[in-house]
Amino acid sequence: MTGVNAADSGESDWTTEQLTSYESARRALDDYAAPGRSAFIRIRTQGAQWEHGLDPDQPHRAASLLKLGIAIAIEDEISKGSINPDTEIAVRELAPLPDDHSVLDLLHPETILRLSNVIALMVGASDNTCTRWLLSLVGVDVVQAAIASVGCVATTIERETESFVPIAGVTTCRDALDLLHVASDRERCPITSHALRHSIRNSRIPLGATASDVSIAHKTGSLFGLAHDVAILECDQGQVEIAFLTDDQHDTLVVGYSMGICTREVLAAWGLVTTHTVSVVGE
């Protein structure tokens, strides 16, 4: 377990109410703790800054979080003029593999997609067919360089050739949040940032919230025994950055709900209400 340093965070000058919030939030993260789970939370309000973690620098299989690196690389190449933003491709040319279960299967094979559409489907729907094609435009080395430019020190990526999953690698909670920060930057990554803020919601972060409750940019990752979610939440009273990475989990659905419950309790501890939905889960 790692937390903040009192001298750095100004914790020694906190009010009794702020210290109570700190303890309540820390207990919520402690309750989430279990083998194979890592987390990192950073909260900024008008009155305080707080961060706490569960092995935030522990490497985990990155799964679809690596799609953030691909998206950043593509948008950087567009900015450099190396990739034409008006590039178009027909669905049939993307050629989904049988195991992809691609959202492209919903579209007529002759449907024409713009480059921005393919990026949005990779990020917002985590589509592997779109990922495979976008990776072919830049290559693994360019993506790794883009990841390094963000300041990530532990994240790796390589092409996966023996699985329907197009990429493999590792990342950490801190690195994943750094990737999300850049990918959600409207100036550097306008296409990706829009997709992240409108991506498919699930039962992880934040549990039960809707677009009318909170502005959230997030990216999930899912594999057998693995469930990730990394998010930046813009609340009325402050900003929340949160990353949950897991591995070797028996039931990823349960893990996802645990992430949501932990997030809800941490936000409540700091008075950051993000949802008007009432749930008895975890009560």
Side-chain angles (χ1 to χ4, degrees):
M1 178 76 68
T2 60
V4 292
N5 181 288
D8 295 334
S9 66
E11 181 185 328
S12 58
D13 298 324
W14 283 4
T15 64
T16 300
E17 182 180 2
Q18 288 170 333
L19 288 171
T20 299
S21 296
Y22 168 88
E23 289 299 327
S24 298
R26 183 184 60 79
R27 283 195 300 270
L29 201 54
D30 288 347
D31 290 342
Y32 170 78
R37 298 182 183 182
S38 297
F40 186 65
I41 301 176
R42 182 184 294 119
I43 292 179
R44 295 185 178 92
T45 67
Q46 290 185 342
Q49 294 189 37
W50 175 82
E51 64 180 46
H52 208 65
L54 292 169
D55 296 324
D57 300 311
Q58 173 64 38
H60 291 264
R61 290 180 295 159
S64 289
L65 297 182
L66 292 174
K67 292 169 183 173
L68 295 172
I70 296 174
I72 293 169
I74 293 288
E75 298 236 36
D76 284 351
E77 293 304 305
I78 291 174
S79 298
K80 296 174 184 176
S82 302
I83 294 178
N84 183 353
D86 296 323
T87 299
E88 296 181 338
I89 189 169
V91 168
R92 60 175 170 75
E93 294 179 81
L94 289 170
L97 299 178
D99 290 334
D100 277 351
H101 306 294
S102 174
V103 294
L104 299 175
D105 293 336
L106 299 171
L107 304 177
H108 190 279
E110 298 305 320
T111 300
I112 301 298
L113 299 177
R114 293 174 58 88
L115 177 61
S116 59
N117 301 143
V118 182
I119 295 172
L121 289 173
M122 176 185 71
V123 173
S126 213
D127 189 86
N128 284 328
T129 302
C130 293
T131 301
R132 197 174 290 109
W133 181 69
L134 290 169
L135 185 61
S136 73
L137 297 183
V138 290
V140 169
D141 290 344
V142 172
V143 176
Q144 187 69 66
I147 291 172
S149 75
V150 172
C152 296
V153 296
T155 302
T156 64
I157 181 172
E158 59 187 41
R159 185 182 289 276
E160 177 61 70
T161 59
E162 298 181 359
S163 170
F164 72 92
V165 178
I167 48 177
V170 300
T171 193
T172 66
C173 288
R174 292 185 196 272
D175 273 12
L177 275 176
D178 287 343
L179 284 171
L180 183 63
H181 262 290
V182 172
S184 61
D185 185 324
R186 291 182 173 90
E187 293 296 323
R188 181 169 175 177
C189 299
I191 301 168
T192 305
S193 64
H194 179 84
L196 287 168
R197 288 176 171 84
H198 295 84
S199 60
I200 296 172
R201 301 289 178 92
N202 56 30
S203 59
R204 298 177 190 174
I205 307 173
L207 188 62
T210 67
S212 62
D213 294 322
V214 62
S215 172
I216 173 174
H218 84 126
K219 184 73 189 79
T220 60
S222 300
L223 289 172
F224 181 77
L226 173 158
H228 301 331
D229 206 353
V230 184
I232 299 173
L233 295 84
E234 298 289 347
C235 308
D236 291 340
Q237 305 90 351
Q239 183 186 76
V240 180
E241 304 166 15
I242 187 164
F244 291 108
L245 272 62
T246 69
D247 231 327
D248 300 321
Q249 301 298 297
H250 174 68
D251 190 329
T252 55
L253 181 61
V254 171
V255 174
Y257 274 106
S258 297
M259 294 175 186
I261 292 167
C262 178
T263 303
R264 180 178 284 183
E265 291 178 350
V266 168
L267 296 177
W270 286 97
L272 302 173
V273 178
T274 61
T275 175
H276 305 294
T277 306
V278 177
S279 173
V280 297
V281 176
E283 294 294 332

